[in-house]
Amino acid sequence: SPQGSPGPHSVSISSAMGLILTATAGLCLWIILWSLSVSGLDAILIAVVMVLIAIGVRQLLPFLPGRRE
């Protein structure tokens, strides 16, 4: 592909980066909530739910209208 256009792996790299950023945000939220005397288990469950939602969105994204090739 030409140098200016994204290659075939650009979508997978950006979606993987989205999962990494979501996991990082979830862990930061876990630390913040835990420091505010919220139960550690409750706080980590919120982070896990965030990551599971991100995985679900990543799996559904190719099937949305306008995203098919």
Side-chain angles (χ1 to χ4, degrees):
S1 66
Q3 211 167 20
S5 65
H9 301 292
S10 64
V11 173
S12 63
I13 291 172
S14 64
S15 62
M17 184 59 73
L19 286 177
I20 291 170
L21 291 175
T22 303
T24 304
L27 290 175
C28 290
L29 182 65
W30 172 57
I31 292 170
I32 291 169
L33 289 175
W34 196 25
S35 70
L36 294 174
S37 300
V38 175
S39 170
L41 180 65
D42 294 341
I44 199 70
L45 285 177
I46 293 171
V48 168
V49 167
M50 287 174 59
V51 171
L52 289 176
I53 289 172
I55 291 172
V57 167
R58 181 181 179 200
Q59 294 297 318
L60 290 176
L61 211 59
F63 300 107
L64 291 177
R67 301 281 294 194
R68 295 185 182 190
E69 294 183 12

